[in-house]
Amino acid sequence: MERIDVTFPSGDAACAAWLYLPDADSTDRPGPVVVMAHGLGGVREERLDAFAERFSAAGYACLVFDYRYFGASGGEPRQLLDVPSQRADWRAAVRYARSLPQIDADRVVVWGTSFSGGHVIVTAAEDRRIAAATAQCPFTDGLASGTAMSPLVSMKIAALAVRDVVGSRLGRPPVMVPTTGEPGTVALMTSPDSVAGVQALIPEGAHIEKDVAARVALQIPLQFPGRQAANVACPLRVVICEQDAVAPAAATRKHVSKAPDVEIVSYDTGHFDIYVGDWFEKNVTEQIDWLRRTVALP
């Protein structure tokens, strides 16, 4: 396979991406592509390359991008996690993928994990040309995720978020909040497995900024991307982690079961287990099998 560094425009900046192209075959015809991005404050290096390498080895091109304000992508201020901006980045990524000569514009698959799992559901609901969608351990319900956090922590984060919003209007730098922390600390994800789970995704020796602008905490409770599952016309595959303390399984199952063409897979794991080790192997192998059944290669 070949991996190429590319960029595409979105809004006020450019998104950096990896374009994986599988080995050329004798047909030399445009093929399908899997468009991929990470979850809450995540970047490509946090195990998305592991998934993309496997998809590409199976014959699927992959476009793996960082959102604006994160990773290698442009945009200021840095670490600004804004839901409308990320949804616009998804639309721009799909548009760019469709423009590539190696890609069949009618066989674009969108793939998201955790927070981006919600973005994928919305993207597929809004774009009827999407060929298929995969959402693993997806964020689907802001209320369910919010109530998984202690009320005291929620209040402290809300105070930071208000300071951040006010400061942004006065031209001040963002007020930051950690994406992960131990239970009871002030962070967006404080489940017992959050700190170790995220650390397991970061390559050895790498430094990846994990704080984000606190204002996103005012957006999350108002987000219910799972409600759009009923409007997803393409085949949808949802991986639910039954022990998920970040994106609760019951809320996700309630929403995605309303999709007209859905395959729901349940694993007896926590939110972060399916990125690494044996659970990763099972997860990615079954995802490739679904891809082959759903979006055939040339």
Side-chain angles (χ1 to χ4, degrees):
M1 75 189 73
E2 181 181 13
R3 190 178 91 176
I4 307 167
D5 290 322
V6 298
T7 61
F8 58 87
S10 182
D12 57 358
C15 291
W18 293 323
L19 176 63
Y20 289 78
L21 296 174
D23 294 334
D25 59 24
S26 59
T27 65
D28 199 30
R29 289 181 294 176
V33 64
V34 183
V35 179
M36 309 171 63
H38 221 308
L40 191 79
V43 294
R44 297 170 291 170
E45 290 83 358
E46 294 175 87
R47 295 289 292 171
L48 292 198
D49 49 353
F51 284 92
E53 287 168 6
R54 295 290 289 272
F55 296 152
S56 185
Y60 294 85
C62 295
L63 181 70
V64 189
F65 71 94
D66 284 337
Y67 298 109
R68 280 176 287 167
Y69 320 118
F70 286 88
S73 293
E76 294 289 341
R78 303 306 296 169
Q79 303 298 112
L80 174 61
L81 204 170
D82 176 68
V83 171
S85 296
Q86 292 196 346
R87 299 260 173 87
D89 293 346
W90 271 99
R91 293 191 294 270
V94 170
R95 186 163 56 246
Y96 174 73
R98 286 179 173 145
S99 75
L100 298 172
Q102 305 95 330
I103 301 306
D104 181 340
D106 289 317
R107 287 195 290 162
V108 174
V109 179
V110 287
W111 183 100
T113 185
S114 193
F115 204 63
S116 69
H119 293 332
V120 156
I121 292 171
V122 173
T123 300
E126 294 177 346
D127 185 344
R128 292 305 180 102
R129 288 184 71 192
I130 295 295
T134 293
Q136 62 172 37
C137 55
F139 166 78
T140 60
D141 191 301
L143 182 60
S145 291
T147 54
M149 182 182 296
S150 80
L152 180 59
V153 170
S154 294
M155 287 189 293
K156 290 180 179 179
I157 291 175
L160 291 176
V162 171
R163 281 179 50 204
D164 187 31
V165 170
V166 172
S168 70
R169 293 175 180 172
L170 298 175
R172 296 172 183 166
V175 175
M176 308 300 282
V177 63
T179 52
T180 61
E182 298 294 342
T185 62
V186 178
L188 296 178
M189 294 185 289
T190 58
S191 64
D193 60 342
S194 287
V195 172
V198 169
Q199 284 299 315
L201 309 183
I202 298 175
E204 185 175 355
H207 172 74
I208 297 175
E209 180 60 53
K210 300 309 296 180
D211 290 358
V212 298
R215 69 196 74 170
V216 72
L218 300 180
Q219 295 183 359
I220 290 174
L222 305 178
Q223 298 297 316
F224 296 88
R227 293 177 179 174
Q228 290 295 317
N231 299 319
V232 176
C234 69
L236 171 65
R237 188 176 198 270
V238 180
V239 177
I240 294 177
C241 299
E242 293 297 337
Q243 300 175 35
D244 199 326
V246 174
T252 294
R253 183 174 286 103
K254 180 187 73 172
H255 289 304
V256 302
S257 63
K258 297 175 184 177
D261 184 2
V262 63
E263 179 175 292
I264 299 173
V265 179
S266 175
Y267 295 149
D268 188 22
T269 67
H271 186 79
F272 300 96
D273 296 324
I274 58 177
Y275 295 92
V276 295
D278 291 344
W279 280 112
F280 165 76
E281 288 297 328
K282 178 177 177 60
N283 181 30
V284 75
T285 299
E286 293 181 356
Q287 287 191 28
I288 291 169
D289 176 68
W290 179 82
L291 275 173
R292 287 173 169 160
R293 289 186 280 113
T294 307
V295 184
L297 294 168

